[in-house]
Structure formats: structure tokens, C-alpha cells
Amino acid sequence: MDQIFSMQLLIAALVLSSIYVLVALGLNLVYGTMRLLNVAHGELMMIGGYVAYWAFALTGTGALVSMFAAVALTAGLGGAFYLAVFRPLSRRAALAARLEQNSMIIFFGVSIVIQNLMSLAFAADPRSYDYLDTLIDLGGGRVELNRLVILGVGTAVTLACVGFFRFHRLGLAARALIQNRDAAALIGIDADRINLMVFCLGFGLAGLAGALVSMTEEITPFGGFPYTIAAFIVIILGGLGNLAGGILGGILLAFIEIYGAALTSSAYRSILIYGVFIAILSLRPQGLMGRRLA
């Protein structure tokens, strides 16, 4: 029982919460604005993780610096992908009507391509490095410094995103687009500009999460899938397109996963995650903060 109330367990849950929130926020933005299901989101995380790993391995640059390169690279990929693929498709009425259904197939193909390109370039061997792994005494327990860094960066970026979508003109325009695309178009919001911004931001957040994760976990070309699944569970928990609900869902899922595994066994982590997912879909399919349809 002492383990349940330990500082290490609380920090572990908070750190995982910050990662889940970042990943789900990026995924939810893309879905909310364009109704596109990005099942390649975890692979974008791995790209960010490899940027951080190679920056450290080749130049000794830590993740706190290389994470900016990871964000820039993945955000650039998001912008290029939107301009090259989804903007042309969205402008053709016949294809735009089926874009949501087809997006899963498109992104699934993208995930396979990214996985195999990374595997060819870097091999499938797990990669890791030691960075900021000093133990810090905190509240009667000892926590690695890199975990506190992940928590601090993740929390700061999440709060910055909340402030951006609450107060900035472009953020408010994105929220309007998420709530009602037709009404947003009637009041003059440039949907194409907002879509491009959201793609860059959503992909960039995935790259940032990957760079942060690389400080504490091994990365492989095929290691992004569990994070993609977790992100989908988070946004289902919070409600599709609901950014505030996604944040709440990320925190809830992380605490269920960490404390549930501590109370039972680490072998039950997947059962706990999918059990919560199925329960929410059965009892409240619109999500914890989603609105019921009349």
C-alpha cells in the first residue's frame, strides 16, 4: 500500500499523462478540423525520437535542444503532406465526401512507409541513450531528472496550446472550424490556412512527444503503434474533436494505467487500457465531455 502513495508512482503517472496529452492533442487537432484519422501519428513520434537520439549520438546535443529540430522536421512533414495530398483531395467534391473514411487507409499506408524507411535507414534494433538521468530526492522518493523535465516541458507546451486556442485569433478560428465548418466559412475564416496550421502543429506535437520519450525509453521504427492506440483511446475518452476533453482523457488514462498496473500487475496494462476504452464506448460513446446528440 505504501507503494501506491509513493512519489515515484505519482510522478510516473504525471509524466505519462503529459506524453499522452501531447500525442492526443496533435491527433485530435487534425481530426477536429478535417475529420482525418491519422493512424501514422505514432510513427511521427518515432521520427522525433530518432532526431533526438542521433543528435545526442553524433554531436552530444541533448533532447532539450534537439526537440526543436524534431518539431521543425515533423511540422514541415505535416505541412508538405497537407499541401501535396489532402488539400488537392479536399478540393474535389467527389473525393472530399469520402475523405474521412479514406484518410485511415491513406495514413495507414504512410505509417507502413515510415516504418520501413526508418528500418532501412537505422535498422530495427532498439536505440537508447543516457541523458539527465541523475536521481533527485523528491517527497521522500527518488526520481530521475529526465522524467521531471518531460513533465515540465509537456505541461508547459500543453498550457501554451490551451492559451493559444483560447485567446489567439488563429486559435479561435481553429476552434470555430472544429465546432462548425460551414458556419466558420460564412464568417470568413480561411479554412485552408487553418488546416495547414493545424497539420503543422499536430505533426509537430507528435515529434516533440517522441523527442521527450526518447530520454527514458528505447525507440524503434515500429515503436509508435502503442502510442497511436493510446492517443485514439484518449480522444475517445474526451470526445472526438474536444481539445479540453482530450487533456482530461490523457490524464485519466495515464493514471488508470500506472495505478492499475501497480495494484495488479504490469501484465494487465493492456487489459486495463482496452477495458476502459470498451467501457466508455458502451456507456458514453460521445466521450466524457462530448455532447449527446438529440
Side-chain angles (χ1 to χ4, degrees), residues 208-232:
L208 172 63
L212 294 176
V213 164
S214 72
M215 291 194 290
T216 59
E217 298 183 16
E218 294 180 335
I219 55 170
T220 70
F222 309 101
F225 180 72
Y227 288 99
T228 300
I229 295 299
F232 272 106

Side-chain angles (χ1 to χ4, degrees), residues 3 27 29 46-47 85 90 97 119 123 151 161 171 173 182 187 221 251 260 267:
Q3 182 186 4
L27 186 65
L29 283 172
M46 293 301 102
I47 291 176
V85 178
S90 64
S119 182
L151 178 58
C161 288
D182 294 332
I187 61 175
I251 296 171

Side-chain angles (χ1 to χ4, degrees), residues 13 22 39 87 121 125 130 156 167 169 176 203 207 276:
L22 284 179
V39 295
R87 184 165 72 175
D125 300 329
D130 296 324
F167 301 109
R169 182 171 58 88
F203 279 45
V276 171

Side-chain angles (χ1 to χ4, degrees), residues 69-268:
V71 171
L73 176 59
T74 51
L77 288 174
F81 200 68
Y82 171 74
L83 294 174
V85 178
F86 283 105
R87 184 165 72 175
L89 291 177
S90 64
R91 290 181 173 180
R92 299 173 63 179
L95 295 176
R98 301 192 300 272
L99 193 57
E100 180 177 353
Q101 297 93 322
N102 293 339
S103 65
M104 181 176 291
I105 300 174
I106 294 172
F107 278 120
F108 179 74
V110 170
S111 72
I112 298 299
V113 169
I114 293 176
Q115 287 175 6
N116 285 278
L117 286 177
M118 288 193 295
S119 182
L120 286 172
F122 310 125
D125 300 329
R127 309 273 184 170
S128 62
Y129 59 98
D130 296 324
Y131 177 65
L132 297 179
D133 54 353
T134 305
L135 291 176
I136 304 296
D137 291 323
L138 189 65
R142 307 188 76 187
V143 181
E144 291 179 328
L145 178 59
N146 50 27
R147 296 185 179 275
L148 297 179
V149 169
I150 292 174
L151 178 58
V153 173
T155 302
V157 172
T158 300
L159 292 176
C161 288
V162 170
F164 174 75
F165 287 105
R166 186 175 179 85
F167 301 109
H168 195 278
R169 182 171 58 88
L170 290 176
L172 292 172
R175 288 177 60 193
L177 204 62
I178 290 173
Q179 292 174 7
N180 193 312
R181 293 186 65 87
D182 294 332
L186 287 175
I187 61 175
I189 291 176
D190 186 350
D192 182 62
R193 181 186 180 191
I194 299 301
N195 290 338
L196 176 59
M197 178 197 73
V198 164
F199 253 76
C200 292
L201 181 57
F203 279 45
L205 287 173
L208 172 63
L212 294 176
V213 164
S214 72
M215 291 194 290
T216 59
E217 298 183 16
E218 294 180 335
I219 55 170
T220 70
F222 309 101
F225 180 72
Y227 288 99
T228 300
I229 295 299
F232 272 106
I233 294 174
V234 167
I235 63 176
I236 290 296
L237 285 173
L240 288 168
N242 190 319
L243 302 183
I247 294 174
L248 175 62
I251 296 171
L252 178 62
L253 181 64
F255 271 77
I256 291 174
E257 182 177 341
I258 295 297
Y259 281 91
L263 287 170
T264 56
S265 168
S266 59
Y268 290 96

